[in-house]
Short mmCIF file of all heavy atoms in Angstrom, two decimals:
data_model
loop_
_atom_site.label_atom_id
_atom_site.label_comp_id
_atom_site.label_asym_id
_atom_site.label_seq_id
_atom_site.Cartn_x
_atom_site.Cartn_y
_atom_site.Cartn_z
N ALA A 29 -0.10 6.70 12.83
CA ALA A 29 0.50 7.61 13.80
C ALA A 29 0.73 9.01 13.22
O ALA A 29 1.15 9.91 13.95
CB ALA A 29 1.83 7.04 14.29
N SER A 30 0.47 9.22 11.95
CA SER A 30 0.62 10.56 11.37
C SER A 30 -0.30 11.53 12.07
O SER A 30 -1.43 11.19 12.45
CB SER A 30 0.30 10.53 9.87
OG SER A 30 1.30 9.83 9.16
N GLN A 31 0.20 12.77 12.25
CA GLN A 31 -0.56 13.76 13.01
C GLN A 31 -0.82 15.05 12.26
O GLN A 31 -1.66 15.84 12.68
CB GLN A 31 0.21 14.11 14.29
CG GLN A 31 0.41 12.97 15.25
CD GLN A 31 1.25 13.39 16.44
OE1 GLN A 31 2.31 14.01 16.28
NE2 GLN A 31 0.80 13.07 17.62
N SER A 32 -0.08 15.29 11.19
CA SER A 32 -0.21 16.55 10.47
C SER A 32 -0.60 16.27 9.03
O SER A 32 -0.01 15.40 8.38
CB SER A 32 1.11 17.33 10.50
OG SER A 32 1.51 17.59 11.83
N PHE A 33 -1.59 17.03 8.57
CA PHE A 33 -2.16 16.78 7.24
C PHE A 33 -2.37 18.11 6.53
O PHE A 33 -2.78 19.10 7.16
CB PHE A 33 -3.50 16.04 7.38
CG PHE A 33 -3.43 14.83 8.28
CD1 PHE A 33 -3.70 14.95 9.64
CD2 PHE A 33 -3.06 13.61 7.78
CE1 PHE A 33 -3.62 13.85 10.48
CE2 PHE A 33 -2.98 12.50 8.61
CZ PHE A 33 -3.25 12.62 9.96
N PHE A 34 -2.10 18.10 5.23
CA PHE A 34 -2.20 19.34 4.47
C PHE A 34 -2.71 19.04 3.07
O PHE A 34 -2.55 17.93 2.56
CB PHE A 34 -0.81 20.00 4.33
CG PHE A 34 -0.07 20.15 5.63
CD1 PHE A 34 0.81 19.16 6.05
CD2 PHE A 34 -0.23 21.26 6.43
CE1 PHE A 34 1.51 19.28 7.23
CE2 PHE A 34 0.46 21.39 7.62
CZ PHE A 34 1.34 20.39 8.02
N TRP A 35 -3.28 20.05 2.46
CA TRP A 35 -3.52 20.06 1.01
C TRP A 35 -2.66 21.17 0.42
O TRP A 35 -2.67 22.31 0.89
CB TRP A 35 -4.99 20.31 0.68
CG TRP A 35 -5.85 19.11 0.90
CD1 TRP A 35 -6.68 18.86 1.95
CD2 TRP A 35 -6.00 17.98 0.00
NE1 TRP A 35 -7.31 17.65 1.79
CE2 TRP A 35 -6.92 17.10 0.59
CE3 TRP A 35 -5.46 17.65 -1.24
CZ2 TRP A 35 -7.30 15.90 0.01
CZ3 TRP A 35 -5.83 16.45 -1.83
CH2 TRP A 35 -6.74 15.59 -1.21
N TYR A 36 -1.91 20.80 -0.62
CA TYR A 36 -1.12 21.76 -1.38
C TYR A 36 -1.71 21.86 -2.78
O TYR A 36 -2.35 20.93 -3.27
CB TYR A 36 0.34 21.29 -1.52
CG TYR A 36 1.25 21.62 -0.37
CD1 TYR A 36 1.09 21.03 0.87
CD2 TYR A 36 2.30 22.52 -0.55
CE1 TYR A 36 1.96 21.32 1.91
CE2 TYR A 36 3.18 22.81 0.49
CZ TYR A 36 2.99 22.21 1.72
OH TYR A 36 3.87 22.49 2.75
N ARG A 37 -1.44 22.98 -3.42
CA ARG A 37 -1.84 23.19 -4.80
C ARG A 37 -0.57 23.41 -5.61
O ARG A 37 0.34 24.13 -5.18
CB ARG A 37 -2.75 24.42 -4.87
CG ARG A 37 -3.03 24.89 -6.26
CD ARG A 37 -3.67 26.26 -6.29
NE ARG A 37 -3.67 26.74 -7.65
CZ ARG A 37 -4.75 27.19 -8.27
NH1 ARG A 37 -5.92 27.27 -7.63
NH2 ARG A 37 -4.68 27.60 -9.52
N GLN A 38 -0.51 22.79 -6.80
CA GLN A 38 0.64 23.00 -7.68
C GLN A 38 0.14 23.35 -9.07
O GLN A 38 -0.54 22.56 -9.72
CB GLN A 38 1.55 21.77 -7.74
CG GLN A 38 2.82 22.02 -8.54
CD GLN A 38 3.81 20.88 -8.49
OE1 GLN A 38 3.44 19.73 -8.29
NE2 GLN A 38 5.10 21.19 -8.68
N ASP A 39 0.47 24.56 -9.50
CA ASP A 39 0.18 24.97 -10.88
C ASP A 39 1.28 24.44 -11.79
O ASP A 39 2.40 24.18 -11.34
CB ASP A 39 0.08 26.49 -10.96
CG ASP A 39 -1.12 27.00 -10.19
OD1 ASP A 39 -2.24 26.76 -10.66
OD2 ASP A 39 -0.95 27.59 -9.11
N CYS A 40 0.93 24.33 -13.07
CA CYS A 40 1.83 23.70 -14.04
C CYS A 40 3.23 24.33 -13.98
O CYS A 40 3.39 25.55 -14.10
CB CYS A 40 1.25 23.86 -15.43
SG CYS A 40 2.16 22.97 -16.68
N ARG A 41 4.24 23.48 -13.75
CA ARG A 41 5.64 23.88 -13.76
C ARG A 41 6.00 24.91 -12.68
O ARG A 41 6.99 25.61 -12.77
CB ARG A 41 6.02 24.45 -15.14
CG ARG A 41 5.85 23.42 -16.26
CD ARG A 41 6.15 24.06 -17.62
NE ARG A 41 7.54 24.43 -17.77
CZ ARG A 41 8.52 23.59 -18.04
NH1 ARG A 41 8.27 22.31 -18.15
NH2 ARG A 41 9.76 24.02 -18.18
N LYS A 42 5.15 25.00 -11.64
CA LYS A 42 5.44 25.91 -10.53
C LYS A 42 5.66 25.11 -9.25
O LYS A 42 5.43 23.91 -9.21
CB LYS A 42 4.28 26.88 -10.33
CG LYS A 42 3.99 27.79 -11.51
CD LYS A 42 4.96 28.94 -11.54
CE LYS A 42 4.64 29.98 -12.61
NZ LYS A 42 3.44 30.73 -12.27
N GLU A 43 6.09 25.81 -8.20
CA GLU A 43 6.31 25.13 -6.94
C GLU A 43 4.99 24.84 -6.23
O GLU A 43 4.02 25.60 -6.38
CB GLU A 43 7.21 25.98 -6.02
CG GLU A 43 6.56 27.21 -5.40
CD GLU A 43 6.67 28.42 -6.29
OE1 GLU A 43 6.79 28.28 -7.52
OE2 GLU A 43 6.61 29.54 -5.72
N PRO A 44 4.94 23.75 -5.43
CA PRO A 44 3.74 23.49 -4.62
C PRO A 44 3.56 24.60 -3.59
O PRO A 44 4.52 25.09 -3.01
CB PRO A 44 4.07 22.17 -3.92
CG PRO A 44 5.18 21.56 -4.71
CD PRO A 44 5.96 22.71 -5.26
N LYS A 45 2.29 24.97 -3.36
CA LYS A 45 1.98 26.00 -2.37
C LYS A 45 0.91 25.47 -1.43
O LYS A 45 -0.03 24.80 -1.86
CB LYS A 45 1.49 27.28 -3.04
CG LYS A 45 2.59 27.99 -3.82
CD LYS A 45 2.12 29.32 -4.36
CE LYS A 45 3.29 30.03 -5.06
NZ LYS A 45 2.88 31.32 -5.65
N LEU A 46 1.06 25.79 -0.15
CA LEU A 46 0.09 25.33 0.83
C LEU A 46 -1.29 25.91 0.54
O LEU A 46 -1.45 27.13 0.41
CB LEU A 46 0.54 25.75 2.23
CG LEU A 46 -0.40 25.39 3.37
CD1 LEU A 46 -0.47 23.87 3.54
CD2 LEU A 46 0.02 26.07 4.65
N LEU A 47 -2.28 25.04 0.42
CA LEU A 47 -3.66 25.47 0.25
C LEU A 47 -4.31 25.60 1.62
O LEU A 47 -4.88 26.63 1.96
CB LEU A 47 -4.42 24.47 -0.61
CG LEU A 47 -5.89 24.75 -0.86
CD1 LEU A 47 -6.07 26.01 -1.69
CD2 LEU A 47 -6.57 23.57 -1.54
N MET A 48 -4.24 24.53 2.40
CA MET A 48 -4.78 24.58 3.74
C MET A 48 -4.29 23.40 4.56
O MET A 48 -3.98 22.34 4.02
CB MET A 48 -6.31 24.62 3.74
CG MET A 48 -6.99 23.47 3.04
SD MET A 48 -8.74 23.81 2.65
CE MET A 48 -9.43 24.16 4.24
N SER A 49 -4.20 23.61 5.86
CA SER A 49 -3.96 22.51 6.78
C SER A 49 -5.29 21.80 7.02
O SER A 49 -6.36 22.37 6.78
CB SER A 49 -3.42 23.04 8.09
OG SER A 49 -2.21 23.74 7.89
N VAL A 50 -5.21 20.56 7.48
CA VAL A 50 -6.42 19.79 7.75
C VAL A 50 -6.46 19.48 9.24
O VAL A 50 -5.54 18.86 9.78
CB VAL A 50 -6.45 18.47 6.96
CG1 VAL A 50 -7.78 17.75 7.18
CG2 VAL A 50 -6.20 18.72 5.49
N TYR A 51 -7.53 19.92 9.90
CA TYR A 51 -7.64 19.73 11.34
C TYR A 51 -8.64 18.62 11.65
O TYR A 51 -9.53 18.32 10.85
CB TYR A 51 -8.04 21.04 12.02
CG TYR A 51 -7.08 22.16 11.75
CD1 TYR A 51 -7.48 23.32 11.11
CD2 TYR A 51 -5.74 22.05 12.14
CE1 TYR A 51 -6.59 24.34 10.85
CE2 TYR A 51 -4.85 23.08 11.88
CZ TYR A 51 -5.27 24.21 11.23
OH TYR A 51 -4.38 25.22 10.98
N SER A 52 -8.50 18.05 12.85
CA SER A 52 -9.32 16.90 13.23
C SER A 52 -10.81 17.18 13.13
O SER A 52 -11.59 16.31 12.75
CB SER A 52 -8.99 16.48 14.66
OG SER A 52 -7.67 16.05 14.76
N SER A 53 -11.18 18.43 13.46
CA SER A 53 -12.61 18.77 13.47
C SER A 53 -13.11 19.19 12.09
O SER A 53 -14.27 19.52 11.93
CB SER A 53 -12.84 19.89 14.47
OG SER A 53 -11.99 20.98 14.18
N GLY A 54 -12.24 19.17 11.11
CA GLY A 54 -12.61 19.67 9.79
C GLY A 54 -12.47 21.18 9.75
O GLY A 54 -12.61 21.84 10.78
N ASN A 55 -12.17 21.74 8.62
CA ASN A 55 -12.03 23.19 8.54
C ASN A 55 -12.38 23.67 7.15
O ASN A 55 -12.33 22.92 6.17
CB ASN A 55 -10.63 23.64 8.96
CG ASN A 55 -9.51 22.85 8.31
OD1 ASN A 55 -9.41 21.63 8.48
ND2 ASN A 55 -8.66 23.55 7.59
N GLU A 56 -12.74 24.94 7.12
CA GLU A 56 -13.24 25.55 5.89
C GLU A 56 -12.49 26.85 5.63
O GLU A 56 -12.15 27.58 6.57
CB GLU A 56 -14.73 25.84 6.08
CG GLU A 56 -15.47 26.25 4.84
CD GLU A 56 -16.97 26.35 5.10
OE1 GLU A 56 -17.59 25.35 5.51
OE2 GLU A 56 -17.53 27.45 4.92
N ASP A 57 -12.21 27.11 4.37
CA ASP A 57 -11.58 28.38 3.99
C ASP A 57 -12.26 28.84 2.71
O ASP A 57 -11.91 28.38 1.62
CB ASP A 57 -10.08 28.18 3.77
CG ASP A 57 -9.37 29.48 3.45
OD1 ASP A 57 -10.03 30.55 3.42
OD2 ASP A 57 -8.15 29.45 3.22
N GLY A 58 -13.27 29.67 2.85
CA GLY A 58 -14.01 30.13 1.68
C GLY A 58 -14.72 28.97 1.00
O GLY A 58 -15.53 28.28 1.62
N ARG A 59 -14.39 28.73 -0.25
CA ARG A 59 -15.05 27.66 -1.02
C ARG A 59 -14.43 26.29 -0.77
O ARG A 59 -14.88 25.29 -1.34
CB ARG A 59 -14.95 28.00 -2.52
CG ARG A 59 -15.63 29.29 -2.91
CD ARG A 59 -15.53 29.57 -4.41
NE ARG A 59 -14.15 29.86 -4.82
CZ ARG A 59 -13.41 29.02 -5.52
NH1 ARG A 59 -13.86 27.84 -5.89
NH2 ARG A 59 -12.17 29.37 -5.87
N PHE A 60 -13.41 26.22 0.04
CA PHE A 60 -12.66 24.98 0.27
C PHE A 60 -12.96 24.42 1.66
O PHE A 60 -12.90 25.15 2.65
CB PHE A 60 -11.16 25.24 0.13
CG PHE A 60 -10.75 25.72 -1.23
CD1 PHE A 60 -10.82 27.07 -1.56
CD2 PHE A 60 -10.31 24.84 -2.19
CE1 PHE A 60 -10.45 27.52 -2.82
CE2 PHE A 60 -9.93 25.28 -3.45
CZ PHE A 60 -10.00 26.62 -3.76
N THR A 61 -13.26 23.11 1.70
CA THR A 61 -13.50 22.44 2.97
C THR A 61 -12.65 21.19 3.03
O THR A 61 -12.66 20.38 2.09
CB THR A 61 -14.98 22.05 3.12
OG1 THR A 61 -15.79 23.22 3.05
CG2 THR A 61 -15.22 21.34 4.45
N ALA A 62 -11.91 21.02 4.13
CA ALA A 62 -11.08 19.84 4.32
C ALA A 62 -11.64 19.03 5.48
O ALA A 62 -12.10 19.59 6.47
CB ALA A 62 -9.65 20.25 4.61
N GLN A 63 -11.62 17.71 5.33
CA GLN A 63 -12.10 16.81 6.37
C GLN A 63 -11.05 15.74 6.64
O GLN A 63 -10.33 15.32 5.73
CB GLN A 63 -13.39 16.12 5.93
CG GLN A 63 -14.57 17.04 5.70
CD GLN A 63 -15.28 17.42 7.00
OE1 GLN A 63 -14.95 16.90 8.06
NE2 GLN A 63 -16.23 18.33 6.90
N LEU A 64 -10.99 15.29 7.89
CA LEU A 64 -10.07 14.23 8.30
C LEU A 64 -10.86 13.15 9.01
O LEU A 64 -11.64 13.45 9.92
CB LEU A 64 -9.01 14.80 9.24
CG LEU A 64 -8.09 13.80 9.97
CD1 LEU A 64 -7.25 13.01 8.98
CD2 LEU A 64 -7.21 14.53 10.97
N ASN A 65 -10.66 11.91 8.63
CA ASN A 65 -11.26 10.77 9.32
C ASN A 65 -10.11 9.87 9.76
O ASN A 65 -9.57 9.10 8.98
CB ASN A 65 -12.21 10.02 8.37
CG ASN A 65 -12.93 8.88 9.06
OD1 ASN A 65 -12.35 8.17 9.89
ND2 ASN A 65 -14.19 8.69 8.73
N ARG A 66 -9.74 10.01 11.04
CA ARG A 66 -8.59 9.25 11.55
C ARG A 66 -8.87 7.75 11.57
O ARG A 66 -7.98 6.94 11.32
CB ARG A 66 -8.22 9.72 12.95
CG ARG A 66 -7.51 11.05 12.98
CD ARG A 66 -6.97 11.32 14.38
NE ARG A 66 -6.41 12.65 14.51
CZ ARG A 66 -5.16 12.95 14.19
NH1 ARG A 66 -4.35 12.02 13.73
NH2 ARG A 66 -4.72 14.19 14.34
N ALA A 67 -10.09 7.37 11.88
CA ALA A 67 -10.42 5.95 11.99
C ALA A 67 -10.22 5.24 10.65
O ALA A 67 -9.71 4.12 10.59
CB ALA A 67 -11.86 5.78 12.47
N SER A 68 -10.59 5.94 9.57
CA SER A 68 -10.45 5.34 8.23
C SER A 68 -9.16 5.78 7.54
O SER A 68 -8.89 5.33 6.41
CB SER A 68 -11.63 5.74 7.36
OG SER A 68 -12.84 5.31 7.95
N GLN A 69 -8.38 6.66 8.20
CA GLN A 69 -7.13 7.17 7.64
C GLN A 69 -7.38 7.77 6.26
O GLN A 69 -6.76 7.38 5.26
CB GLN A 69 -6.06 6.06 7.61
CG GLN A 69 -5.67 5.63 9.00
CD GLN A 69 -4.67 4.48 9.07
OE1 GLN A 69 -4.72 3.67 9.97
NE2 GLN A 69 -3.79 4.41 8.12
N TYR A 70 -8.25 8.75 6.28
CA TYR A 70 -8.81 9.30 5.05
C TYR A 70 -8.93 10.81 5.18
O TYR A 70 -9.33 11.33 6.22
CB TYR A 70 -10.17 8.62 4.87
CG TYR A 70 -11.12 9.21 3.89
CD1 TYR A 70 -11.14 8.78 2.58
CD2 TYR A 70 -12.05 10.16 4.30
CE1 TYR A 70 -12.06 9.28 1.69
CE2 TYR A 70 -12.97 10.68 3.40
CZ TYR A 70 -12.97 10.23 2.10
OH TYR A 70 -13.87 10.73 1.21
N ILE A 71 -8.53 11.52 4.11
CA ILE A 71 -8.61 12.98 4.08
C ILE A 71 -9.37 13.37 2.82
O ILE A 71 -9.23 12.69 1.78
CB ILE A 71 -7.20 13.60 4.00
CG1 ILE A 71 -6.32 13.09 5.14
CG2 ILE A 71 -7.25 15.11 4.05
CD1 ILE A 71 -4.84 13.26 4.83
N SER A 72 -10.14 14.43 2.90
CA SER A 72 -10.85 14.87 1.71
C SER A 72 -10.73 16.39 1.55
O SER A 72 -10.46 17.11 2.51
CB SER A 72 -12.31 14.47 1.78
OG SER A 72 -12.95 15.15 2.83
N LEU A 73 -10.91 16.83 0.32
CA LEU A 73 -10.95 18.25 -0.01
C LEU A 73 -12.15 18.48 -0.90
O LEU A 73 -12.29 17.83 -1.93
CB LEU A 73 -9.68 18.70 -0.72
CG LEU A 73 -9.65 20.16 -1.17
CD1 LEU A 73 -9.59 21.10 0.03
CD2 LEU A 73 -8.47 20.42 -2.10
N LEU A 74 -13.02 19.40 -0.49
CA LEU A 74 -14.21 19.74 -1.26
C LEU A 74 -14.06 21.16 -1.78
O LEU A 74 -13.74 22.07 -1.01
CB LEU A 74 -15.46 19.64 -0.37
CG LEU A 74 -16.80 19.87 -1.05
CD1 LEU A 74 -17.19 18.66 -1.88
CD2 LEU A 74 -17.88 20.16 -0.02
N ILE A 75 -14.26 21.33 -3.07
CA ILE A 75 -14.23 22.67 -3.66
C ILE A 75 -15.63 22.97 -4.19
O ILE A 75 -16.16 22.24 -5.04
CB ILE A 75 -13.21 22.76 -4.81
CG1 ILE A 75 -11.82 22.32 -4.34
CG2 ILE A 75 -13.17 24.18 -5.37
CD1 ILE A 75 -10.78 22.28 -5.46
N ARG A 76 -16.22 24.03 -3.67
CA ARG A 76 -17.56 24.44 -4.13
C ARG A 76 -17.44 25.57 -5.14
O ARG A 76 -16.47 26.35 -5.12
CB ARG A 76 -18.39 24.91 -2.94
CG ARG A 76 -18.80 23.82 -1.97
CD ARG A 76 -19.67 24.40 -0.84
NE ARG A 76 -18.94 25.43 -0.09
CZ ARG A 76 -18.10 25.16 0.88
NH1 ARG A 76 -17.86 23.91 1.23
NH2 ARG A 76 -17.47 26.14 1.52
N ASP A 77 -18.43 25.67 -6.02
CA ASP A 77 -18.50 26.77 -6.98
C ASP A 77 -17.16 26.94 -7.71
O ASP A 77 -16.54 28.02 -7.66
CB ASP A 77 -18.89 28.07 -6.25
CG ASP A 77 -19.19 29.21 -7.20
OD1 ASP A 77 -19.51 28.96 -8.38
OD2 ASP A 77 -19.08 30.38 -6.77
N SER A 78 -16.72 25.90 -8.38
CA SER A 78 -15.40 25.89 -9.02
C SER A 78 -15.20 27.08 -9.96
O SER A 78 -16.11 27.46 -10.70
CB SER A 78 -15.22 24.59 -9.82
OG SER A 78 -15.31 23.47 -8.99
#
Side-chain angles (χ1 to χ4, degrees):
Chain A
S30 290
Q31 296 177 313
S32 302
F33 310 92
F34 309 93
W35 284 101
Y36 275 68
R37 169 193 169 128
Q38 186 173 26
D39 294 289
C40 187
R41 299 176 67 78
K42 298 281 186 71
E43 73 272 25
K45 291 186 177 178
L46 178 66
L47 178 66
M48 58 197 302
S49 300
V50 185
Y51 302 119
S52 296
S53 54
N55 48 300
E56 190 173 301
D57 183 2
R59 298 181 293 108
F60 299 84
T61 300
Q63 297 279 354
L64 170 63
N65 184 322
R66 285 190 186 275
S68 301
Q69 295 176 213
Y70 165 92
I71 305 160
S72 66
L73 177 68
L74 184 76
I75 305 175
R76 291 182 300 277
D77 189 22
S78 300

